[in-house]
């Protein structure tokens, strides 16, 4: 079973995403900020994919992606953000993300993109 780390500061949306991923055959772990994500990532648990918002309290998603990339060049990262401006997309891809979706996102499309990233 693939394990996905969901980094989303909106607690309700985090629960919805994790529940949907769980019903779709994935093991999802939710974190509300980058520090909790670092603890999950570097606490001995293996993840197959990271889904992250950009606008997080404290450390933003761009810095989270850069930090992950410095440690792991192969872990897929998908941004799921309300920011739909090209500069945010450019910065995300420059930070090392693999895909970008704009909120509100269709959950079935999210599953398609996850499947593609995990191939």
């Amino acid at each position: 079973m693939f394990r996905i780390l969901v980094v989303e500061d909106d607690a309700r949306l985090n629960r919805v995403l994790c529940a949907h991923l769980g019903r779709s055959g994935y093991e999802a772990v939710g974190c509300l900020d980058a520090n909790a994500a670092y603890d999950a990532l570097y606490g001995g648990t293996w993840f197959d994919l990271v889904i992250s918002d950009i606008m997080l309290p404290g450390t933003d998603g761009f810095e989270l992606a850069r930090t992950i990339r410095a440690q792991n060049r192969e872990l897929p990262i998908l941004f799921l953000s309300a920011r739909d401006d090209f500069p945010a997309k450019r910065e995300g891809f420059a930070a090392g993300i693999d895909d970008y979706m704009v909120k509100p996102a269709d959950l079935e499309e999210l599953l398609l993109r996850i499947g593609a990233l995990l191939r």
Side-chain angles (χ1 to χ4, degrees), residues 34-83:
N35 286 334
Y38 293 141
D39 290 344
L41 283 165
Y42 306 118
T45 302
W46 175 261
F47 290 94
D48 299 291
L49 177 103
V50 174
I51 298 172
S52 179
D53 193 2
I54 293 173
M55 297 177 287
L56 298 168
T59 303
D60 66 21
F62 299 122
E63 184 59 30
L64 174 65
R66 284 190 285 272
T67 300
I68 292 170
R69 274 295 160 258
Q71 300 294 319
N72 186 330
R73 303 284 308 155
E74 298 184 18
L75 178 63
I77 304 169
L78 184 153
F79 271 177
L80 180 60
S81 176
R83 293 197 51 188

